[in-house]
Amino acid sequence: MAQEESAWSKSFTAKEQVTILKRIIKFASPFKGQFAGGIVFGILLAITNIILPRILQVFIDDYLAKGAATNNIIILFAVIYFGMTIVKIVFWYLNLYLYNMASEKTVENIRNAIFKKLHTLGMRFFDQTPAGSIVTRVTNDTETIKEFWSVFLTILQGILGVTTSLFAMLLLDVKISLWIVALIPILGVVIWYYQKHSSRLYRNMREKLSSLNAKLAESVNGMSIIQQFRQEKRLQAEFDETNMDYYKLRFAMVKTNSILLSPVIDFLYTFSLVFILGFFGYEALNGPVSVGVIYAFTSYARNFFNPMTSMMDSLSIFQDGIVSSSRVLNVLDNEEYTPQQNETANAEITDAKIEFKHVSFSYDGKHNVLNDISFTALPGQTIALVGHTGSGKSSIINVMMRFYEFYEGEILIDDIPIKNYPLKELRKKMGLVLQDSFLFYGTLKDNIRLKDASITDFQIEEAARFVQADTFIEKLPNQYDSRVIERGASYSTGQKQLISFASTIVTDPKILILDEATANIDTETEALIQEGLKKMRKGRTTLAIAHRLSTIRDADLILVLDHGEIIERGTHDQLIQKNGIYYDMYQLQNKGLYLEK
């Protein structure tokens, strides 16, 4: 962890920033037409900004100063100036509209890309990355990139404003213009120092924000446990500490911005204004000076430095955007993909025979959690997996479902390596019921069909009736159209599990995988679904992780695992006769002493 913090505390080099910019700009390529339109109107806006002071200069020097202004002349210049102002407003609007719309679409493109990428990553990525950090990447970081994209517009407007203003000043007086330009190197030094110092602060700020989101998500999801064990003060103290660290970094950033951004530009502008007025004041001692030229020059000087103020202010957003972009790109570059099937995979599951041949597996690549696992499940058979917590039961399910890649041994379905089946075929023909059911926002009907439009209402009702879920659904006011709030909080654990059973059986899978599916269900509800479970298993090959040994007495084969190895195998009666580990577990459970997760 210390190494990670050290790495994030470093500043980005100029080369790294350029690389990040090149990569993030690629997301804008589909909308280059709109960006180009925004840039064109930005150029027209800059030209309009140098024309307006010139109109007033001509009016002051050629007419007011010489006393040649008539009513018609005044009205003419007023109309011209007003007309050019309207044109400026139109150019400004089109510049902002086209550019910002393209920016919004670009950020939408980035957010879609990272969300799509997350669905291709393997479970190991989610095991190692806090949920709050992932949420920050998809929401906060992409939102920051949206603001960051506006920096390019500010820079574009700034460059055009500075360039056109400098050109206009050179036309008026080359000597004074060159003296003003001589102040730019000072600005360059300030920008260099700011980028070097602020990028480190912004990287740390983003990490602390991720930690805040992670702690918040953890607290919300675990609120019942926190209150049950009276952990509120401890969690509050940890949150306060992280929040204070984030505040200190924000405070340091505010101080840096307050010193190095607008105040520096204002100082240089004031200095140049004093110089301009002093220069023309000195010339006025030796002869008349054109008032219109003084007005135009001070206006151009203001137009020269104002964009710099905007650009300097946007440096903070630029640094924040660089950091957020790098964090998004880190996810997009992650290669912790879901296990890949063979390129020519086209097999179909027919009989659903399952065979593990000397399979070994490790989550971290160092310590095996499965060692030389071998067994065969013939079509229609039920294989039960039992053992203490950490014995490897769920790991067998994980490699079977292709959530994780195994590197030793072989898994066969119908005597064909599992990697020769398209992932879509595996998901279609395998039905998984987990210990902790998860319901989505929507209705009960939506959660059973899981947005599969091909599943009819009749099939939904048949599936619910099959697993005994209809006993409570049909008592609800809206029955299958009853609303489901976050995680199905308005339903009991048993009811949620019945819905999960229904969503599994409605697809008519050939292979059924039960990961302690009845562990969290009360005895009364369990009695309701046992008949449904028996019907579900009929004609299907089933792998069942057993919590209550009484539920798998009729299994065709029971595998007893310990530390990733199969230490006993056989039917319930055979294992009881062996008087081994399974016998001890069964006796303890019957006496109410055996505790399993």
Side-chain angles (χ1 to χ4, degrees):
M1 185 66 181
Q3 290 180 349
E4 182 181 349
E5 290 177 350
S6 176
W8 276 101
S9 66
K10 295 178 181 178
S11 300
F12 282 115
T13 63
K15 184 178 180 181
E16 288 173 331
Q17 293 188 34
V18 171
T19 301
I20 292 170
L21 279 174
K22 286 181 178 178
R23 294 190 59 194
I24 210 71
I25 285 175
K26 289 181 180 178
F27 288 97
S29 58
F31 319 108
K32 56 187 177 184
Q34 284 180 283
F35 278 116
I39 291 171
V40 168
F41 284 109
I43 294 172
L44 294 175
L45 175 64
I47 293 173
T48 306
N49 281 332
I50 64 171
I51 291 175
L52 287 172
R54 188 70 174 175
I55 293 173
L56 291 182
Q57 183 228 326
V58 171
F59 177 66
I60 292 171
D61 289 345
D62 294 352
Y63 295 96
L64 287 185
K66 296 179 179 180
T70 63
N71 289 336
N72 290 337
I73 292 294
I74 293 173
I75 293 173
L76 175 64
F77 272 89
V79 170
I80 293 174
Y81 194 87
F82 179 77
M84 287 303 298
T85 301
I86 295 298
V87 170
K88 173 185 174 180
I89 291 172
V90 172
F91 287 161
W92 202 347
Y93 167 77
L94 292 174
N95 168 237
L96 291 175
Y97 176 79
L98 290 174
Y99 192 94
N100 287 332
M101 285 303 298
S103 300
E104 291 284 351
K105 291 178 180 178
T106 300
V107 173
E108 180 190 25
N109 192 15
I110 295 172
R111 190 176 285 127
N112 286 337
I114 189 173
F115 191 75
K116 181 179 179 181
K117 175 70 176 187
L118 287 172
H119 285 83
T120 68
L121 296 176
M123 295 301 297
R124 185 175 283 108
F125 171 81
F126 298 97
D127 291 341
Q128 298 173 350
T129 310
S133 178
I134 297 173
V135 171
T136 301
R137 307 288 174 97
V138 181
T139 55
N140 297 68
D141 285 337
T142 53
E143 195 66 23
T144 300
I145 293 175
K146 183 171 69 177
E147 298 175 7
F148 165 66
W149 218 258
S150 67
V151 170
F152 295 111
L153 177 60
T154 302
I155 292 174
L156 172 66
Q157 292 174 334
I159 291 174
L160 291 173
V162 168
T163 303
T164 53
S165 297
L166 179 60
F167 176 75
M169 285 191 293
L170 287 171
L171 291 178
L172 290 175
D173 194 300
V174 175
K175 186 188 298 183
I176 300 179
S177 301
L178 293 179
W179 276 106
I180 294 175
V181 171
L183 299 174
I184 293 179
I186 299 174
L187 190 61
V189 173
V190 174
I191 293 175
W192 170 81
Y193 178 78
Y194 177 83
Q195 285 187 308
K196 182 178 179 181
H197 182 64
S198 64
S199 64
R200 176 176 56 83
L201 286 174
Y202 273 110
R203 294 181 84 171
N204 283 327
M205 280 166 49
R206 280 288 150 189
E207 286 303 294
K208 287 299 179 184
L209 183 58
S210 289
S211 296
L212 275 177
N213 284 335
K215 288 185 179 297
L216 180 60
E218 183 181 64
S219 296
V220 171
N221 291 330
M223 189 59 69
S224 60
I225 302 298
I226 292 171
Q227 293 183 358
Q228 178 182 348
F229 292 96
R230 303 180 65 184
Q231 295 296 302
E232 294 92 340
K233 290 185 178 180
R234 180 180 67 82
L235 269 297
Q236 182 65 54
E238 290 179 0
F239 187 86
D240 286 347
E241 182 180 355
T242 305
N243 196 27
M244 179 55 68
D245 291 340
Y246 181 65
Y247 163 76
K248 289 178 179 177
L249 288 169
R250 293 288 303 182
F251 184 67
M253 197 69 255
V254 168
K255 288 197 298 184
T256 302
N257 293 349
S258 300
I259 296 172
L260 296 178
L261 295 184
S262 295
V264 173
I265 301 296
D266 287 342
F267 171 77
L268 294 177
Y269 170 64
T270 302
F271 183 83
S272 65
L273 197 60
V274 170
F275 179 79
I276 291 170
L277 294 176
F279 180 85
F280 282 111
Y282 178 77
E283 283 195 345
L285 296 176
N286 301 318
V289 176
S290 172
V291 177
V293 171
I294 296 176
Y295 165 78
F297 220 105
T298 54
S299 297
Y300 290 141
R302 184 176 64 253
N303 291 339
F304 181 82
F305 282 102
N306 275 353
M308 290 188 182
T309 302
S310 300
M311 286 191 288
M312 284 293 285
D313 286 340
S314 67
L315 281 179
S316 60
I317 302 174
F318 177 83
Q319 289 301 327
D320 203 6
I322 285 289
V323 172
S324 294
S325 298
S326 71
R327 286 161 53 82
V328 168
L329 291 173
N330 283 340
V331 175
L332 295 175
D333 291 340
N334 194 289
E335 297 183 354
E336 194 64 63
Y337 294 107
T338 54
Q340 300 298 299
Q341 306 302 91
N342 294 332
E343 291 184 3
T344 58
N346 59 2
E348 293 184 10
I349 298 174
T350 54
D351 298 327
K353 174 188 174 184
I354 301 172
E355 186 175 4
F356 274 58
K357 284 187 174 181
H358 308 289
V359 174
S360 295
F361 168 67
S362 169
Y363 287 104
D364 59 8
K366 299 177 182 178
H367 307 94
N368 279 359
V369 293
L370 294 179
N371 293 289
D372 196 27
I373 299 295
S374 296
F375 66 87
T376 300
L378 297 176
Q381 283 190 335
T382 295
I383 307 298
L385 309 174
V386 302
H388 297 282
T389 300
S391 60
K393 305 185 300 296
S394 293
S395 297
I396 290 177
I397 302 301
N398 285 336
V399 296
M400 177 69 187
M401 291 294 298
R402 302 292 288 148
F403 293 149
Y404 294 87
E405 185 64 271
F406 62 95
Y407 299 100
E408 295 182 38
E410 197 169 26
I411 300 177
L412 305 173
I413 300 179
D414 294 336
D415 299 317
I416 299 173
I418 196 170
K419 295 181 182 180
N420 286 343
Y421 291 92
L423 202 57
K424 184 177 180 180
E425 172 71 5
L426 294 178
R427 296 290 179 260
K428 181 180 179 182
K429 300 293 179 64
M430 290 185 183
L432 173 65
V433 181
L434 297 171
Q435 176 179 346
D436 298 315
S437 56
F438 186 96
L439 298 186
F440 296 90
Y441 275 114
T443 64
L444 291 178
K445 186 186 297 182
D446 294 335
N447 274 274
I448 293 175
R449 67 157 50 101
L450 290 178
K451 300 297 182 179
D452 186 347
S454 66
I455 297 175
T456 65
D457 289 353
F458 177 76
Q459 289 174 300
I460 291 172
E461 293 173 13
E462 283 293 300
R465 192 172 298 114
F466 192 84
V467 299
Q468 313 292 328
D470 62 320
T471 56
F472 83 89
I473 293 177
E474 293 181 359
K475 293 178 182 178
L476 298 172
N478 296 317
Q479 297 188 354
Y480 292 90
D481 290 314
S482 298
R483 300 300 300 173
V484 176
I485 58 176
E486 186 175 4
R487 301 181 68 89
S490 58
Y491 298 96
S492 70
T493 301
Q495 289 172 335
K496 288 189 289 185
Q497 197 68 318
L498 287 170
I499 296 299
S500 181
F501 269 71
S503 66
T504 299
I505 204 64
V506 76
T507 60
D508 192 23
K510 287 187 173 294
I511 296 174
L512 188 61
I513 299 175
L514 307 174
D515 188 355
E516 299 193 277
T518 61
N520 293 329
I521 296 177
D522 58 87
T523 306
E524 182 179 351
T525 306
E526 182 182 359
L528 280 175
I529 68 172
Q530 283 305 320
E531 183 63 31
L533 273 174
K534 288 181 180 179
K535 289 193 291 183
M536 287 174 68
R537 284 159 43 191
K538 188 175 181 180
R540 295 182 176 88
T541 307
T542 303
L543 289 183
I545 294 178
H547 172 72
R548 295 168 184 164
L549 301 184
S550 60
T551 63
I552 47 97
R553 291 186 61 172
D554 62 343
D556 297 284
L557 177 65
I558 299 173
L559 304 177
V560 183
L561 290 98
D562 185 47
H563 293 93
E565 297 180 356
I566 299 175
I567 57 174
E568 291 181 3
R569 66 176 69 207
T571 64
H572 172 78
D573 293 336
Q574 290 171 343
L575 292 175
I576 291 296
Q577 289 176 5
K578 283 184 180 180
N579 237 2
I581 300 297
Y582 181 84
Y583 174 83
D584 293 338
M585 293 167 60
Y586 189 73
Q587 292 300 316
L588 286 171
Q589 194 169 98
N590 282 346
K591 293 176 182 178
L593 298 175
Y594 177 70
L595 298 177
E596 178 50 329
K597 70 175 181 179

